[in-house]
Every structure is written in C-alpha cells, then in structure tokens.
Amino acid sequence: MEIPKNYDPKSAEDKWYAWWMEKGFFRSVPDEREPYTIVIPPPNVTGVLHMGHMLNNTIQDVLIRRARMQGKNACWVPGTDHASIATEAKVVSLLKEQGINKKDLSREEFLKHAWSWKEKYGGIILEQLKKLGASCDWDRTRFTMEEELSESVIDVFIDLYKKGYIYRGTRMVNWDPAALTAVSDEEVFMKEATSKLYYVTYKIEGSEDTITIATTRPETILGDTAICVHPEDERYTKLVGKKALVPLINRAVIIIADEYVDKSFGTGALKVTPAHDKNDYELGKKHKLDTIDILNPDGTMSAAAQLYVGQDRFHCRKAIVKDLEEAGHIVKVEEIKNNIGYSERTNVVIEPRLSPQWFVAMKEFSKPAYNAVVNGEVNLIPDKFINTYKYWMENVQDWCISRQLWWGQRIPAWYDDAGNYVVAKTLEEAKAEFAKKGFNGTPRQDEDVVDTWFSSWLWPITVFDPAAIRNGKGNGNADLKYYYPTNDLVTAPEILFFWVARMIIAGYEYVGERPFSNVYLTGIVRDKQGRKMSKSLGNSPDPLGLIEKYGADGVRVGMLLCSPAGNDLPFDESMCEQGRNFWNKIWNASRLIRGFAVDSKLEQAASSKIASEWFDSRFNQQLAEINEHFNKFRLSDALMATYKLVWDDFCSFYLEMIKPDFVDGVAKPIDAKTYEQASAFLENILKIVHPFMPFISEELYHLIGDRKGNDAVIVASWPEAKPFDASIVAQFDLAQQVIATVRTFRSQKKLSPKEALELKAMNVTDQRFFPTIQKLANISSIEVVKEAADNAFSFVAGQSQYFIPVGGNIDVEEERERLKKELEYNKGFLVSVQKKLANERFVQNAKPEVIDVEKKKMSDAEAKIKAIEQQLANL
C-alpha cells in the first residue's frame, strides 16, 4: 500500500482510537495470562485536562501499552473522584447564578442539583484523555461516589470506629471560611507575602510595667489567654506568674514560662491564643489555659471577641490597629516576609480553628505502611523519596476525616438531643443502638461527610470488589484475586502521604497485601522560568490545543523527553515540535523504504549485507538497553534510546547505507533480500515506538503490511532482545568516526560533497565497512598503507590511522597545532580513565562489563596518543 506524502494526525487518531475500542483491545478480564494492572489516580470530577494530567497519563499509557505487547493481561482502570469541596463549590456557584442560595435548599434538594451537575460535566476529563491515546478499560470506569463504593466507605468508617481507630474530638484544624469546612493539609498551599509585624504593649496588672509582644495578626489579641516567655530569659523572670491586661478589653491573662519560646525571636515574649494557632493550642493544653474563639465559621468576629462583632477578620485587623495606635499600645511596625496558607479550592486565607471533628488515630494504624516502604515491599521511584516518606510516617498526625459539606459520603453517626451518639449504618440500626444505650428521642444523623481521601484510599480495592471490605481478607471476588495487588502506581510526590501512604494502610488492613508494587513519582510541570504551571499565572498551554498543533504522538514524546522520575519537567513547546519532527522522520523513512523499486533477480550487495548485519546487532543492543531502562522506570531514557536508534542508526546510517544510487535521475532497484530486511527492521521499530507514539505506529503498521483481523501493532509482540555481535557494532562506531571526520574536513576546507576524495589507512584490522565509508563519505578509494602518508590530513579512529592526501596544499604549522591540541585532549582523557581504574571502590563495585569498557577506552587512548605522536614526528 502506498504511503501518502504527509501524515494527518487528526484523522489517524480518530480512526485508530475508534478501531481499538471497537476491537476491544483495551478490555481486560481475568484469564490464564500474567496480569499487569494500573489504577488511574482518579482526577477530580470537576477537572479538565492540564499539563500535569498529560504527563501522568502519558506515562501510565506507555507502561500499559508495553505490558500489553509483552503478552500480559493489561488492565488500566479509569475513573473520577467526587472531590467534595471542589464540586460543592462549583454547584453552589452555579446555583448562585440561578438566584438560588444553598441555605434555602434541603440537603436532598442540593444533592439533586449536584448529581445533575456531575452527570452533565463529570465525564469531560475522561473524554479528553482519549484524545491523548489513553488505552484504559473504559468498561471498568469507576466513580468514588457510586453506590457500591460509597457503601464500602461507610463500612470502613464503622469498622475502624469499632476497632478504636476512629474517634470524635475537638482539635485545631485548617478551616476554610469560604467553603465553611475543615480541609486537609494537602488542600492548603502556601504563598509568600509581605506582612506587617506589629509590636504591641500589654500593661502588667497592678503595676506601671509593660511587656511587649510581636504579632502579624493583631485581631487575635482579643482571644489571648496568656503571654509566654522562656524560663531562662532574665528580662522577664520577675514577670512570670503575674498577669497582663489584654489591650482595649483589659482582660487579665497569666504570664507563663515555657521552653517552647525562642528568646531571640521578636521580643522573646509570645501572645498565646489557643483557639487560633496550632502551637498556641498545644501550649494551652499543656498549661490548662482558657480557649476563647473570637471568630465565626465565616471569618467574621464572634460575640466572644467583645469588640468589632460581625466584622470580617481583615476589616477588623485594620480597625484594631487604628484603635491600638490611638490608645498608645503600638510600639513599632515592621515589614516582614512570611508564608500564609490559602485554601486550594477557594483561594481564601486558611484560619486555624478549634472544631469538633472526626479523626483517625494514625500512630499504630500506619505502621504496616511504614514497614512496607522501608522493607522494600513497595518501591518508591526514585528512591530519594524514601527518607521523606519515613520522616512523615514517623511523625504522623491523626487524620481529620470530617468535612462540613453535603456532597460526599455522609458520616454514619447518629445523635440524640443531648449530644450522645452512636455509629451505625442505617437509621434502624441506630435506633437499636439507642435502645441498648438508653438514649432518648429519634436518632439524628451527622450532617458532615467524610474527607474525599477517605474514599479514594480504598480505590485499588473497591474498583475491583466494593464488597471486599465487608467480606473480609481472603474473600475477595475473582477480579480482586486476579488483579490485586496492582503493579504500578503513577502519581505526584505532593500526595505521597495524603493518598499513597493511606492506600498502603488500607491495603494491609483490608486485603492483607500491599496495593501496588511500585510507585512512580512524577515531577511538576514548570514553565521556562521554573514556575509551576497554573491557570492563575496564565503560563499553562491548552493540552488539547497542543494535540491539535503537534499531534497526540508529538505531545507525548515532547512531555517524556525531559521528564525523569521525580524531577520537575521544564516544559517548552519546542519539545512538542521535536516530537512532531520525530514522527515525521519515521513517516518519511517508511515512505523511502516503500518507495524502493525491488528487483528479485539482484544478488544482495556486500555493502547491504554488512549494513543489515550491523543494524540487526545494533537494534538488539539498543533493545536490551531500552528494556533495562523500562525495568528501572527510566522512561525518559528509554524514549531517548529509542529516538537515537531510529533517528541516528536507522535513518541517518542504515537507510543511507542501503539506499540505491541514482542513474540519470532515476534510482536503481534494490535487491529483494535487503528490502525484506529493511521492512522487517521498520516493523520492529514501529513496535518499540508504539508505547510512546501509538497513533502513527498503528497507521504505518497497516500501511506497510497486509493486516487482517486483529493483526495490529497495539497487540503485536514486543520484540525479543537477541544476542548480538558486539564486534560489528564497535567496528561500525569506528567507521562512523571516519565518516564524520571526513565530512568535517570537507566542510572546513570548503570542498564540495560531490568531489570524491582519496583515503589511506594504516594499522587497520577490519575492512568490512570500507564500502560504507566510501559511499557515505564519497571516497573514491581506500588504500591500506604501512607507513604514514606525506602531505596529508591525518586523523585517528580507534587504533587505526587515516590520511587524506592534499598534495602540496597542507599548512604544516596549522596541522601541527591541530595535532598538538588533539594530543593534549587524549592525554587528559587517558589520565581520567587511569584514575577511574585506579579507584578501588569503583573497581570493586562496577560490573565486569563496565570495567572492560574502561580498559578498552584506555587502550584506544594509548593507541591514539602513539599515532598522533608519530604524525607529529613525521611533520
């Protein structure tokens, strides 16, 4: 079949994706094959495709496509997360546009609107992933608020409550005054700001003495219940135990001593506001201080503040500073740089707030997950994250799992009018528990829902068997027994603790096994200035626009070229252009081969025979390297090795070696054997590029062969790395050096590429590639000589010397300087290799083949030095 002049990415992408779906190539059901399983990190149901999704899902698709070609039963489970805070905010905003206030709706009415919104917009991101080429088993698509999955969440809550891991208590939480809910640490992002540090004096009760504190939040003065100093700070020793008067309201508060205070920071005296600072809260518990909550849930001042009641906290800040100045309490004001926490969902300043919430006690519960990573049962890639993981797990805090929202799994706790409660799955069960405990009245269910992560931590289990939680360990369905534990998880380092660690905890608790073997941690996609890509900065390109411009394959390659695991990706659109150039190179190479005229009567030329022998060995050498990169999750390196094999070895050398000459503007025919070998090489190349560039590889696979039924590159067998002839590869490397040097000589001397040159060679042991050198460097003849040639440009390749006769036109001084520089370089290189081989640690730890390579480098360098010294002597 003739290959068109140009590749049309859009038509190919639409055609082949629909065909793959029709053929069921993405579908997976348990069978006798080895399973290879990935569960997608479920994107928020509110989400649209961004560059982070592009990177993460391209990596997953590369892994799943290669596994499929390796004959494994590849299963990639897609789905979305219900994203409580983000979705509720979207729905509230939409209702506001319609003139509806959430407060005017019942819970049931609001949820009806929320489900309607989800059905309309919730699947957008999954459809966008299809444009990227994501080969998920779409029949397995899950949603974290499906009825079955939600029931599992409730079952886990009840189970952990009964085991004593879940408890209710009043703790300091991150409070979002806009969303009116507690949020988790990972939903808080820090912004550097220029803030004002106010130095405020407090009078000592019954004295003219004063004590000065420094604060960036003067509005919280109204909630002070103590002032704290260091016990060894001589400036304040006499004041410990006395009382200070809170400015403006004159409440007497105790002055306490605690080693927590840093004597050198600020004034060395710390205002203590237990209700509005996490550290102050701990001090308050330790010293049994009162707690005064001066803020309402919406961030306005409460009646407990006594002043500025009903004012927004930031309006209050301005007002109280003015009043403090007028009353003579402000000593000075400084500008400082500090970090302020903002809600990721609403972009408002987070307020530390004491609130009754539900928690999971994590210290004992998390130990199996800690051991799994430390003992290597779960591998973090790259392993630099192990220490970070250990630190977090060793200092793990109890997990606040309640959210003051309606969208999500409702907490199965039931209260009476006195505040007593039971935990039960249904109202009927709650009534029965009330009767047992002697509680009065009708049980009233908790209004809160659980944290979104409390549902997604069960993801690797419940996507296969939602009932596994109820049925107990070892009683999972066929899917869970076959696919669990999954193989690889691809995710971002910032949720290593908040999602990954918790999934490991849940896996051991409810299945008795790790949920996955490997966790591949991607980097953050950044712009050329190193900034994280975001909508607010306007520095993130539209992924679908990039696909439209460069083709999905071009964007996939562009994303992966510079994205080693765990390292940030400095994205530049030119990388997508490079990806497009790559698929264009393969397209044109395929057209060249298919365009050869074949003469079945022709014998295979010696130059074509050696070319095919070399490329066969080179392909298998590179394939072994590519496989090794995949095994070690060096996907960027695997792609680069593939890229070089195709661009440099196949296109720049192999095809040029076998390409027939032209006579009177018409290409000579090629022999059938060389054509068959070139076509076979091309087919194998399409197979190894398929995981990276699925669309063009499928298009060309069908254009270069008569495919029937399910014969497709997506399910073709991954090539097997066979033994190769290392000597022929090494010999061609030397031939490449000769060709490159001759071409450089031509360029420097401004000689036409059409002008044939003579070449003399000395100390040559292998002449197999002489015809190749003659063809690719346009050499009329290569004469093997025993002595150095006079009046010639000389150079060394390996242990052989080459000479290009130049008549009497050689500039002796120029040539001498060139050789001196080359000699100096090679002597320096030799010293570096000798040092490496003299390093006992290197020799003891390096593989034998690595040592052999270094020894070969040393002998080659010694031979080059000897040859250059001889050339200098001849001059």
Side-chain angles (χ1 to χ4, degrees):
M1 190 182 299
E2 184 179 351
I3 299 177
K5 183 178 180 181
N6 296 313
Y7 171 60
D8 180 0
K10 189 174 188 318
S11 65
E13 289 159 13
D14 292 344
K15 174 177 69 177
W16 292 117
Y17 202 90
W19 188 74
W20 291 330
M21 292 280 286
E22 178 191 327
K23 289 288 185 179
F25 288 140
F26 304 163
R27 185 79 179 108
S28 174
V29 293
D31 59 24
E32 70 286 351
R33 290 175 295 167
E34 175 190 349
Y36 177 82
T37 315
I38 294 178
V39 292
I40 199 171
N44 286 352
V45 73
T46 58
V48 293
L49 201 63
H50 59 60
M51 298 303 287
H53 293 133
M54 293 279 279
L55 174 62
N56 185 291
N57 288 282
T58 295
I59 291 169
Q60 290 177 80
D61 196 46
V62 167
L63 293 172
I64 210 81
R65 285 180 182 273
R66 180 170 178 268
R68 191 180 287 124
M69 296 176 75
Q70 289 177 306
K72 297 174 185 177
N73 190 347
C75 179
W76 184 11
V77 181
T80 50
D81 190 288
H82 63 275
S84 294
I85 297 174
T87 304
E88 186 146 328
K90 289 269 188 186
V91 176
V92 168
S93 177
L94 182 68
L95 291 172
K96 192 176 288 185
E97 290 174 12
Q98 299 171 5
I100 303 171
N101 192 315
K102 178 190 171 185
K103 293 177 181 177
D104 298 330
L105 298 174
S106 67
R107 188 186 196 105
E108 290 67 29
E109 289 169 336
F110 177 81
L111 289 176
K112 194 172 180 181
H113 284 287
W115 277 107
S116 176
W117 183 94
K118 183 266 173 187
E119 294 306 318
K120 186 173 181 180
Y121 300 106
I124 289 175
I125 192 165
L126 298 183
E127 289 304 310
Q128 291 175 326
L129 286 176
K130 294 177 182 178
K131 295 291 183 185
L132 184 65
S135 56
C136 303
D137 183 350
W138 298 108
D139 293 340
R140 290 184 175 274
T141 302
R142 288 291 198 174
F143 176 53
T144 53
M145 260 182 71
E146 283 176 36
E147 187 174 343
E148 284 185 311
L149 272 67
S150 289
E151 186 179 2
S152 294
V153 173
I154 302 306
D155 289 336
V156 167
F157 188 102
I158 295 169
D159 177 65
L160 294 181
Y161 177 77
K162 287 178 179 177
K163 289 174 178 174
Y165 286 123
I166 285 182
Y167 65 92
R168 183 168 173 79
T170 298
R171 299 286 186 276
M172 186 70 69
V173 296
N174 300 310
W175 185 261
D176 183 333
L180 297 177
T181 181
V183 296
S184 56
D185 287 343
E186 80 280 1
E187 290 164 322
V188 177
F189 68 97
M190 307 306 290
K191 284 186 189 177
E192 187 179 70
T194 300
S195 298
K196 290 182 177 178
L197 184 64
Y198 300 93
Y199 287 77
V200 183
T201 59
Y202 292 53
K203 287 184 178 179
I204 304 301
E205 188 179 42
S207 155
E208 293 301 313
D209 292 337
T210 62
I211 188 168
T212 302
I213 60 91
T215 180
T216 57
R217 304 178 65 207
E219 68 279 8
T220 62
I221 283 173
L222 302 174
D224 288 355
T225 56
I227 290 176
C228 190
V229 298
H230 194 281
E232 296 175 3
D233 193 334
E234 296 177 357
R235 294 173 295 177
Y236 302 119
T237 306
K238 65 179 183 180
L239 296 180
V240 175
K242 294 185 177 181
K243 292 189 174 182
L245 299 176
V246 176
L248 304 182
I249 57 174
N250 289 326
R251 179 171 61 243
V253 298
I254 187 86
I255 298 174
I256 60 174
D258 196 286
E259 291 181 348
Y260 166 76
V261 177
D262 182 354
K263 290 188 290 183
S264 63
F265 181 77
T267 65
L270 177 77
K271 65 186 282 302
V272 183
T273 319
H276 298 288
D277 182 273
K278 290 183 179 180
N279 296 318
D280 289 8
Y281 174 65
E282 294 302 323
L283 277 174
K285 284 199 299 181
K286 182 177 179 180
H287 293 274
K288 297 181 173 56
L289 302 176
D290 290 338
T291 299
I292 302 172
D293 187 352
I294 61 162
L295 288 173
N296 293 314
D298 63 356
T300 57
M301 305 303 288
S302 71
Q306 301 183 44
L307 304 176
Y308 318 106
V309 177
Q311 282 193 29
D312 176 79
R313 54 187 167 153
F314 297 118
H315 293 158
C316 171
R317 181 175 299 175
K318 293 178 182 177
I320 197 171
V321 166
K322 182 173 179 291
D323 291 344
L324 286 169
E325 284 177 332
E326 289 177 355
H329 288 287
I330 301 285
V331 177
K332 63 177 178 176
V333 180
E334 293 177 348
E335 282 199 347
I336 62 165
K337 294 282 187 184
N338 64 339
N339 289 314
I340 297 175
Y342 282 77
S343 168
E344 188 179 63
R345 303 302 178 192
T346 60
N347 202 35
V348 301
V349 175
I350 286 293
E351 195 64 51
R353 186 167 188 262
L354 278 174
S355 175
Q357 304 285 345
W358 290 92
F359 295 86
V360 179
M362 296 294 285
K363 192 168 184 180
E364 292 299 318
F365 192 37
S366 63
K367 282 183 177 177
Y370 174 86
N371 294 331
V373 170
V374 172
N375 297 336
E377 293 173 45
V378 175
N379 300 307
L380 302 186
I381 301 154
D383 60 9
K384 69 179 184 180
F385 288 106
I386 293 175
N387 285 337
T388 313
Y389 180 91
K390 284 173 61 180
Y391 177 81
W392 187 83
M393 294 294 276
E394 287 166 359
N395 297 278
V396 67
Q397 302 296 311
D398 286 358
W399 175 15
C400 175
I401 58 169
S402 45
R403 297 292 180 267
Q404 289 63 55
L405 302 164
W406 283 349
W407 177 249
Q409 288 92 4
R410 194 171 179 180
I411 288 174
W414 308 78
Y415 301 84
D416 66 8
D417 292 337
N420 299 309
Y421 64 85
V422 297
V423 170
K425 194 168 184 176
T426 64
L427 175 60
E428 293 307 311
E429 290 179 14
K431 286 178 179 178
E433 287 295 313
F434 265 42
K436 283 182 190 176
K437 293 180 180 292
F439 296 165
N440 297 318
T442 302
R444 172 178 48 82
Q445 190 173 358
D446 198 309
E447 290 293 322
D448 293 352
V449 298
V450 293
D451 177 18
T452 300
W453 299 107
F454 194 80
S455 62
S456 59
W457 74 324
L458 305 175
W459 187 248
I461 305 170
T462 54
V463 294
F464 297 115
D465 184 5
I469 307 301
R470 293 187 295 282
N471 295 338
K473 294 176 184 176
N475 298 314
N477 65 10
D479 270 11
L480 189 70
K481 289 177 179 176
Y482 182 76
Y483 293 113
Y484 188 99
T486 66
N487 296 77
D488 303 323
L489 177 77
V490 182
T491 190
E494 54 261 37
I495 56 174
L496 175 60
F497 320 115
F498 308 111
W499 187 46
V500 178
R502 289 167 180 167
M503 282 191 287
I504 300 173
I505 293 169
Y508 283 105
E509 181 70 18
Y510 290 107
V511 188
E513 285 187 82
R514 61 189 178 183
F516 28 69
S517 301
N518 304 296
V519 181
Y520 180 104
L521 297 159
T522 66
I524 296 170
V525 184
R526 299 187 181 275
D527 64 14
K528 286 187 282 187
Q529 298 176 44
R531 301 175 302 174
K532 184 177 179 179
M533 287 190 168
S534 68
K535 287 181 183 177
S536 58
L537 288 175
N539 62 346
S540 181
D542 171 24
L544 296 180
L546 291 175
I547 290 173
E548 187 75 25
K549 189 173 181 181
Y550 300 105
D553 292 335
V555 177
R556 289 165 66 109
V557 169
M559 295 292 291
L560 288 178
L561 277 174
C562 297
S563 58
N567 289 346
D568 290 352
L569 167 64
F571 181 77
D572 189 326
E573 195 170 319
S574 63
M575 293 191 294
C576 294
E577 187 176 357
Q578 189 175 351
R580 180 180 63 188
N581 293 344
F582 186 37
W583 61 245
N584 193 54
K585 189 79 171 177
I586 295 174
W587 185 263
N588 289 334
S590 304
R591 289 189 72 242
L592 176 67
I593 294 171
R594 294 293 288 179
F596 286 154
V598 182
D599 186 342
S600 58
K601 297 176 183 177
L602 284 177
E603 290 288 328
Q604 186 176 36
S607 59
S608 295
K609 182 175 183 293
I610 192 67
S612 294
E613 289 174 358
W614 161 72
F615 187 76
D616 183 63
S617 285
R618 178 62 177 153
F619 177 86
N620 283 291
Q621 181 190 46
Q622 281 295 87
L623 180 58
E625 184 180 316
I626 290 164
N627 287 339
E628 182 69 6
H629 287 318
F630 269 114
N631 292 341
K632 294 183 177 178
F633 292 89
R634 297 194 295 249
L635 302 195
S636 184
D637 292 337
L639 172 58
M640 186 51 71
T642 305
Y643 184 98
K644 289 179 177 178
L645 175 69
V646 175
W647 195 291
D648 298 339
D649 298 319
F650 188 68
C651 296
S652 297
F653 282 102
Y654 175 70
L655 291 183
E656 291 300 317
M657 290 159 74
I658 67 166
K659 190 166 67 176
D661 295 328
F662 280 75
V663 177
D664 297 328
V666 179
K668 289 181 178 180
I670 194 172
D671 66 274
K673 186 167 186 180
T674 300
Y675 180 78
E676 288 169 8
Q677 289 171 330
S679 298
F681 290 145
L682 176 60
E683 186 165 310
N684 272 338
I685 280 171
L686 294 177
K687 290 176 183 178
I688 64 170
V689 302
H690 175 76
F692 303 109
M693 298 196 294
F695 293 109
I696 194 169
S697 55
E698 194 70 83
E699 177 83 351
L700 286 170
Y701 189 80
H702 283 75
L703 287 172
I704 67 170
D706 183 18
R707 314 295 178 186
K708 291 182 172 63
N710 288 344
D711 186 1
V713 74
I714 188 176
V715 289
S717 295
W718 183 259
E720 181 185 350
K722 299 173 183 174
F724 60 90
D725 183 351
S727 68
I728 198 172
V729 174
Q731 199 59 41
F732 186 71
D733 287 346
L734 296 177
Q736 284 179 306
Q737 289 180 38
V738 174
I739 293 164
T741 305
V742 173
R743 287 174 175 173
T744 301
F745 172 78
R746 282 183 187 279
S747 175
Q748 290 174 345
K749 301 299 180 183
K750 295 182 173 54
L751 300 175
S752 169
K754 295 179 180 179
E755 182 183 340
L757 300 174
E758 293 178 34
L759 188 65
K760 297 180 187 292
M762 188 169 74
N763 298 329
V764 176
T765 56
D766 192 329
Q767 301 180 23
R768 282 180 290 180
F769 287 105
F770 273 16
T772 300
I773 294 171
Q774 286 183 257
K775 181 175 183 178
L776 300 188
N778 192 12
I779 301 295
S780 59
S781 64
I782 302 178
E783 179 186 354
V784 178
V785 296
K786 294 183 178 179
E787 294 181 357
D790 294 330
N791 295 321
F793 171 83
S794 59
F795 60 95
V796 178
Q799 300 190 18
S800 303
Q801 298 176 58
Y802 293 88
F803 310 91
I804 302 173
V806 291
N809 296 326
I810 189 168
D811 185 326
V812 176
E813 284 306 315
E814 184 182 303
E815 182 67 1
R816 182 179 284 114
E817 285 304 310
R818 183 185 70 81
L819 288 171
K820 281 182 178 178
K821 287 180 182 177
E822 194 173 340
L823 179 64
E824 184 180 351
Y825 168 79
N826 279 282
K827 283 183 175 180
F829 179 76
L830 177 61
V831 169
S832 68
V833 175
Q834 288 171 333
K835 283 182 179 178
K836 188 180 285 189
L837 289 171
N839 185 326
E840 289 183 14
R841 183 179 293 179
F842 170 75
V843 174
Q844 287 172 359
N845 296 328
K847 293 180 180 179
E849 55 267 32
V850 174
I851 301 292
D852 291 341
V853 168
E854 294 302 318
K855 287 181 177 178
K856 179 70 166 56
K857 287 179 183 178
M858 184 170 73
S859 64
D860 283 351
E862 289 170 341
K864 281 185 178 181
I865 289 168
K866 184 177 178 182
I868 294 169
E869 288 175 339
Q870 182 61 53
Q871 290 169 26
L872 283 167
N874 292 341
L875 283 176

